Amino acid sequence: MSSKKSSSINVNSPAPILSRKRWQLVPFLLILDLADIDVFQEARKVIEAFQNKEVGPVLAWCAENKSRLKKSKLYLI
């Protein structure tokens, strides 16, 4: 004989109410839909490469964003 626990779902129980902590996350989740996460992930990779003294990814990013950097008139010395 096997003693398996059967999980049952009570379909008559009310829907769970969001806790205060979960409600605090709602604006953050809405912002995630509006933000371009890829930009932040790419920035993180470039920053980590810079911190690890790996110039290849940093130079590649600068080359890809050359026109934006010129428009911003930001000069790195």
Side-chain angles (χ1 to χ4, degrees):
M1 276 189 196
S2 68
S3 60
K4 288 185 179 178
K5 273 189 170 179
S6 64
S7 63
S8 61
I9 299 172
N10 186 354
V11 292
N12 295 325
S13 67
I17 298 173
L18 289 177
S19 68
R20 182 179 210 166
K21 241 180 194 175
R22 289 184 181 160
W23 273 112
Q24 290 172 341
L25 288 175
V26 170
F28 176 73
L29 296 173
L30 294 173
I31 289 171
L32 284 178
D33 286 341
L34 300 174
D36 189 358
I37 301 301
D38 295 335
V39 171
F40 294 102
Q41 290 175 340
E42 182 182 357
R44 189 190 82 233
K45 288 178 187 177
V46 172
I47 291 168
E48 287 175 356
F50 194 71
Q51 289 172 338
N52 294 329
K53 298 177 181 159
E54 299 169 5
V55 296
V58 177
L59 292 175
W61 182 87
C62 288
E64 291 172 11
N65 295 285
K66 187 177 182 176
S67 64
R68 286 185 188 170
L69 292 171
K70 281 185 178 180
K71 285 179 186 177
S72 70
K73 296 182 181 179
L74 175 67
Y75 297 100
L76 303 174
I77 299 175

